[in-house]
Amino acid sequence: MAKLYQRLRMKVTFLYYEDCPSYDVALERLRSAMTEEGIQAEIEIIKVETDEQVQRLRFVGSPTILINGQDIDPPPPEAYYALTCRAYQLEDGRISPLPSPDMIRRALRQSEASSKLKI
Amino acid sequence: MTKPKVGSKAIPFILPGVDGKEHSLAGYTDKEAVVVIFSCNHCPYARAWEDRIIQIQADYADKGVQLVAISANDAQKYPDDSFPDMKKRAQEKGFNFPYLYDETQEIARFYGAERTPEVFLFDKHGTLHYHGTVDDNYEQPNAVKSHYLRDALDAVLADRVPAITETTPIGCTIKWK
């Protein structure tokens, strides 16, 4: 039986806090990763500026990348919402203010795989 | 408060450290150089440079260099930066320099500090010789091309003027109350 797949449109959201200096690098990494993976979705860019936004968006730090609403690096349960820069743990254990390109690519692939629905 | 300019004198402080002792700038008059670094627990930039700062203290201790880290962040809004958490962080990372708590934020304001980490290097006379960032690559220690702080320390210890005396601090903003 032939398998048919319907690829759902990917929703990509980039949230940032302007005081964290590397958000532009993170956005560039996200764009590059999407190009490499052949993903043409638009990126919704949200500048987080107020405590109200922080709480409403459950913002744990800048930059945050959501793919179909899922954080590319889900924060631990004890994470608190704040206007702050975000710490990412890289593959080798080091802390970085930026998600690595591999981290972004992995999340894109996982999301793409799970969005393929068998009909 | 105006940021100290290169050539200006160090601003004295007395602050509690994670070791349970009070630390004052005057306590380091026997040192060849003192590096005051505004830092904190939660900031990923500060954490990205932490191991390098520890290594700098280790490499320069025998040359009479003393690093002092000061956290001034509002711990109400940023609980990871509380004094008890500072103690935990210092222990976990094995800080080989005093880690001080500027709870009133007065010292950070006197220094005109804005970011974490932000470095102020003073010579044995308390004169500022370098202000700015640690090096030019927060993300990849192996890809650093300009070791600003190390280069400035080498110059100060050799009684020379550092080739670069000012860089832009890169990091999180200090979280004011």
Side-chain angles (χ1 to χ4, degrees):
Chain A
M1 190 170 72
K3 289 179 182 173
L4 297 173
Y5 294 92
Q6 179 185 1
R7 193 165 155 181
L8 296 177
R9 186 166 183 79
M10 190 177 284
K11 184 182 177 191
V12 182
T13 312
F14 182 88
L15 302 102
Y16 74 100
Y17 171 42
E18 201 168 30
D19 277 3
C20 297
S22 315
Y23 66 86
D24 52 341
V25 179
L27 183 55
E28 188 49 45
R29 283 185 184 177
L30 174 60
R31 287 188 170 127
S32 297
M34 288 172 68
T35 302
E36 287 165 23
E37 298 299 319
I39 295 166
Q40 294 183 332
E42 281 186 20
I43 303 171
E44 181 188 14
I45 299 173
I46 300 175
K47 183 178 179 179
V48 183
E49 298 176 278
T50 67
D51 287 334
E52 186 277 325
Q53 275 182 302
V54 164
Q55 296 303 320
R56 179 167 46 81
L57 298 166
R58 300 181 177 186
F59 183 66
V60 293
S62 176
T64 285
I65 299 170
L66 306 177
I67 299 172
N68 292 331
Q70 295 296 310
D71 199 305
I72 63 162
D73 185 26
E78 67 271 19
Y80 53 89
Y81 309 139
L83 274 178
T84 190
C85 307
R86 184 163 173 180
Y88 287 91
Q89 186 155 29
L90 302 179
E91 290 78 1
D92 63 3
R94 285 183 299 113
I95 297 295
S96 171
L98 296 170
S100 69
D102 276 351
M103 193 183 291
I104 299 171
R105 273 194 294 268
R106 257 199 318 273
L108 287 168
R109 284 175 196 160
Q110 281 170 3
S111 184
E112 196 175 34
S114 63
S115 71
K116 287 176 180 170
L117 297 178
K118 196 170 150 183
I119 297 177
Chain B
M1 189 60 65
T2 310
K3 200 182 289 283
K5 291 187 165 37
V6 168
S8 63
K9 288 290 178 187
I11 297 161
F13 56 77
I14 302 174
L15 292 169
V18 296
D19 58 359
K21 297 175 186 167
E22 295 277 310
H23 292 257
S24 72
L25 188 62
Y28 304 118
T29 48
D30 60 329
K31 299 295 180 185
E32 292 297 312
V34 175
V35 182
V36 176
I37 304 176
F38 288 88
S39 188
C40 69
N41 276 13
H42 91 270
C43 174
Y45 296 88
R47 291 170 68 180
W49 264 305
E50 235 165 23
D51 288 343
R52 280 173 268 180
I53 289 170
I54 290 169
Q55 193 59 51
I56 288 171
Q57 177 62 87
D59 292 346
Y60 285 87
D62 289 347
K63 297 171 184 172
V65 173
Q66 182 64 59
L67 270 64
V68 180
I70 299 175
S71 175
N73 275 358
D74 177 3
Q76 288 291 322
K77 282 189 183 169
Y78 298 86
D80 288 350
D81 293 326
S82 69
F83 198 36
D85 278 23
M86 286 173 59
K87 290 177 182 175
K88 279 187 210 161
R89 186 73 185 162
Q91 196 163 24
E92 282 166 9
K93 291 297 297 182
F95 284 178
N96 51 3
F97 47 78
Y99 190 25
L100 314 183
Y101 186 34
D102 179 17
E103 186 175 9
T104 66
Q105 305 185 319
E106 187 181 40
I107 302 305
R109 289 191 190 279
F110 276 136
Y111 273 78
E114 294 172 356
R115 299 270 168 182
T116 58
E118 183 165 344
V119 171
F120 296 83
L121 163 60
F122 300 97
D123 69 8
K124 59 187 170 190
H125 306 295
T127 303
L128 183 64
H129 281 267
Y130 172 73
H131 163 247
T133 188
V134 178
D135 58 47
D136 68 354
N137 195 323
Y138 54 80
E139 197 176 25
Q140 299 289 344
N142 296 330
V144 171
K145 289 179 183 161
S146 296
H147 298 266
Y148 302 121
L149 177 55
R150 282 178 178 271
D151 291 348
L153 276 168
D154 290 340
V156 165
L157 293 173
D159 272 335
R160 288 186 285 105
V161 175
I164 296 174
T165 57
E166 189 87 38
T167 57
T168 302
I170 297 170
C172 310
T173 48
I174 289 181
K175 308 307 181 192
W176 304 109
K177 292 179 179 174

